[in-house]
Amino acid sequence: MDDFAEQYIRKSDLHSVTVEGQGKYWIYPYEGPVSDIENVKLLLSWKNAYTASSKP
């Protein structure tokens, strides 16, 4: 996931959400193949700040 995030996700692809009492998160929705699984739907998230080298 770290490699995927660094290579393919740009800040403009993210959605900002605020969780009450926990702060702001950046969310990236993904649907597609992962490893041996043909189709999955997942959300990658980063708390407060996102940079290309941040780990989800």
Side-chain angles (χ1 to χ4, degrees), residues 6 18 28 43 49:
E6 190 170 341
T18 301
Y28 178 80
L43 292 174

Side-chain angles (χ1 to χ4, degrees), residues 23-35:
K24 182 177 176 179
Y25 288 80
W26 292 98
I27 305 294
Y28 178 80
Y30 172 80
E31 186 170 356
V34 173
S35 192

Side-chain angles (χ1 to χ4, degrees), residues 1-10 46 50-54:
M1 287 288 114
D2 296 341
D3 292 337
F4 174 84
E6 190 170 341
Q7 292 178 22
Y8 298 105
I9 298 175
R10 304 292 172 254
W46 296 261
Y50 168 82
T51 64
S53 61
S54 314

Side-chain angles (χ1 to χ4, degrees), residues 11 14-28 44-51 54-55:
K11 189 163 185 172
L14 303 176
H15 304 280
S16 174
V17 296
T18 301
V19 178
E20 187 175 335
Q22 294 187 31
K24 182 177 176 179
Y25 288 80
W26 292 98
I27 305 294
Y28 178 80
L44 300 178
S45 65
W46 296 261
K47 186 167 179 148
N48 298 322
Y50 168 82
T51 64
S54 314
K55 294 185 178 197

